[in-house]
Amino acid sequence: LIFIASLLLGTTITISSHHWVMAWTGLEINTLAILPLISKSHHPRAVEAATKYFLTQAAASALVLFSSMTNAWQTGQWDITQLTHPTSCLILTSALAIKLGLVPFHFWFPEVLQGSPLTTGLLLSTIMKLPPIALLYMTSPSLNPTLLTTLAILSTALGGWMGLNQTQIRKILAFSSISHLGWMAIIIAYSPKLALLNFYLYAMMTTTVFLTLNTTKTLKLSTLMTAWTKTPPLNAMLLLTLLSLAGLPPLTGFLPKWLIIQELTKQDMTPAATLISLLSLLSLFFYLRLAYCTTITLPPHTTNHMKQWRTGKPANITIAILTTMSVMLLPLSPMIPTLI
C-alpha cells in the first residue's frame, strides 16, 4: 500500500509541478516506489529486472536534471514550459526517451517487464509512462520535431519487428508498448492533446489485457492456448481487446491512429504517416497471433490433453467495464475534435 501510494504521489508531483527540480523529485519517488514491486518475488530474474530498471531510470533522471540545469544556466528559467535552449531540448528528449523506452533506448523495457509479475507489468506499462509523457506535453512547443519523428518511426518499426518472434506474452506486450509510444512521439510536437488521448486509450486497453491475463494466470503463448476453458466469455473479449490494441476500425484502438494520421497529413507529413501506418502492420501480426492463440485455435492431441477447470469466480466488474470501453468507444470520435 505504501509503495502504491508513493507511486501515485510521485506521478502527481511530476504532473502538477512547474519547477524542474520538483518534476525530477516526482520521477525519483516513482522509480524508488516501483523497485520493491518488481523484485517482490525474489526470483533472480526479478532482481535482475529491478537492477536494470534502477540503472536506466537513474541515468535518465540525471539527464533530466542536467538538461534543466543547462537551460537554467543559459536562460535563467527553471520553469518547465520555458525550456528554450536547443541543447537542453535535445538532452531532455533523449532522457525522456530513456524513461519511456523509445528506440534506441528500448532495451531495458522488455527485460524488465519479463522479470516482473503481471500486476507490476501493468503499472510499468501505464502509470510509469504518464510522468514522462506529461513532461513531453508541457515542453512540446520547444521540442525538435525531426528528432521525435525519427525516434517514433524507429520505435514503431523495431517494436513491430522484435515482437514477431516472441513467445512470452509480457515481452510481446512490451514491444507493443514501444510501438504505441512511437505513435505518441510522432504527434506530440504537432498536437500534444492528441498524444495524451492516444496515451489514455492505450493505457486503458493495456490494463484490460493485463487484468485478463492476470485472471487466467497466463504468461506464455502455450498456456494461453489452454486458458479458454477457464473463462470462455473473458477470452472471447480478450480477442476483441487485442484487435483493438492493433487498431482495427470498428474498435476503440482505431480512433487515435485515425486522428493522428489525419493530423500528420494536415502538417504535410504524408510520407511519415504512410510509413508509420505500414509499420503498425508488423505489430498487427503479433496481435493476431495472440488473438489466434486465445480463441481461434485448439491445441493438438485433445485426447490426452488436460483441460483447465473453470474457476468459479467470474471476472470482476473492473475488467468488464474496461473491456467494454476498449472495444466500443469509437462512436465517441465526433466529440474528440471539440475537446482538442
Side-chain angles (χ1 to χ4, degrees):
L1 191 62
I2 294 174
F3 294 135
I4 303 259
S6 27
L7 199 67
L8 294 172
L9 172 76
T11 310
T12 319
I13 289 178
T14 306
I15 293 171
S16 57
S17 57
H18 292 289
H19 196 287
W20 271 115
V21 174
M22 283 301 288
W24 173 80
T25 314
L27 290 171
E28 284 298 303
I29 294 174
N30 248 356
T31 307
L32 294 175
I34 194 89
L35 284 173
L37 296 175
I38 300 177
S39 56
K40 192 170 56 178
S41 62
H42 298 299
H43 189 276
R45 177 165 267 176
V47 178
E48 180 193 346
T51 315
K52 283 178 180 169
Y53 185 76
F54 174 71
L55 292 174
T56 46
Q57 298 297 314
S61 293
L63 278 177
V64 168
L65 210 52
F66 177 58
S67 75
S68 53
M69 279 168 67
T70 318
N71 186 62
W73 182 262
Q74 297 286 347
T75 62
Q77 281 286 352
W78 276 103
D79 195 356
I80 292 186
T81 48
Q82 303 291 324
L83 186 82
T84 46
H85 194 249
T87 319
S88 304
C89 290
L90 287 177
I91 298 173
L92 180 83
T93 311
S94 49
L96 292 178
I98 297 174
K99 277 216 165 288
L100 288 168
L102 281 169
V103 173
F105 311 109
H106 63 287
F107 296 103
W108 62 273
F109 189 50
E111 301 292 326
V112 170
L113 214 60
Q114 181 56 33
S116 49
L118 277 172
T119 40
T120 313
L122 164 64
L123 291 175
L124 280 172
S125 318
T126 53
I127 295 183
M128 298 304 284
K129 300 269 188 262
L130 187 55
I133 292 260
L135 287 177
L136 278 176
Y137 178 85
M138 288 189 271
T139 53
S140 58
S142 50
L143 295 176
N144 182 349
T146 323
L147 175 67
L148 281 170
T149 310
T150 317
L151 287 178
I153 287 176
L154 283 174
S155 299
T156 324
L158 278 173
W161 263 311
M162 294 173 76
L164 293 180
N165 215 7
Q166 303 292 339
T167 54
Q168 297 284 345
I169 295 179
R170 283 170 295 184
K171 275 198 175 173
I172 293 182
L173 285 169
F175 288 118
S176 99
S177 175
I178 292 170
S179 60
H180 273 278
L181 284 168
W183 280 88
M184 289 170 227
I186 199 166
I187 199 65
I188 195 125
Y190 302 105
S191 170
K193 286 187 176 172
L194 204 50
L196 267 189
L197 170 82
N198 189 352
F199 174 73
Y200 293 145
L201 291 178
Y202 152 76
M204 184 180 71
M205 295 184 285
T206 310
T207 310
T208 316
V209 174
F210 269 109
L211 289 176
T212 308
L213 295 173
N214 195 32
T215 309
T216 54
K217 297 283 179 281
T218 315
L219 295 175
K220 297 199 294 289
L221 284 179
S222 51
T223 45
L224 189 62
M225 285 190 181
T226 60
W228 62 273
T229 46
K230 284 186 180 177
T231 44
L234 192 57
N235 258 30
M237 290 310 281
L238 179 61
L239 163 81
L240 287 175
T241 315
L242 286 167
L243 294 182
S244 181
L245 259 177
L248 290 185
L251 308 165
T252 311
F254 178 59
L255 170 61
K257 286 194 163 64
W258 176 28
L259 290 171
I260 285 175
I261 290 171
Q262 188 179 335
E263 183 63 35
L264 286 176
T265 41
K266 278 183 194 166
Q267 302 284 351
D268 288 336
M269 289 176 63
T270 322
T274 315
L275 192 56
I276 201 166
S277 315
L278 287 173
L279 288 172
S280 71
L281 290 174
L282 290 168
S283 44
L284 172 65
F285 176 80
F286 61 75
Y287 288 126
L288 277 176
R289 202 175 67 180
L290 270 175
Y292 187 77
C293 289
T294 314
T295 48
I296 306 170
T297 180
L298 277 176
H301 319 302
T302 40
T303 45
N304 58 5
H305 181 80
M306 281 179 66
K307 293 274 191 294
Q308 309 267 359
W309 279 98
R310 279 196 195 190
T311 44
K313 59 178 199 327
N316 61 12
I317 185 78
T318 323
I319 300 184
I321 294 171
L322 283 170
T323 310
T324 315
M325 286 170 71
S326 318
V327 174
M328 297 184 177
L329 277 190
L330 190 63
L332 289 184
S333 48
M335 282 171 60
I336 305 292
T338 58
L339 300 175
I340 289 177

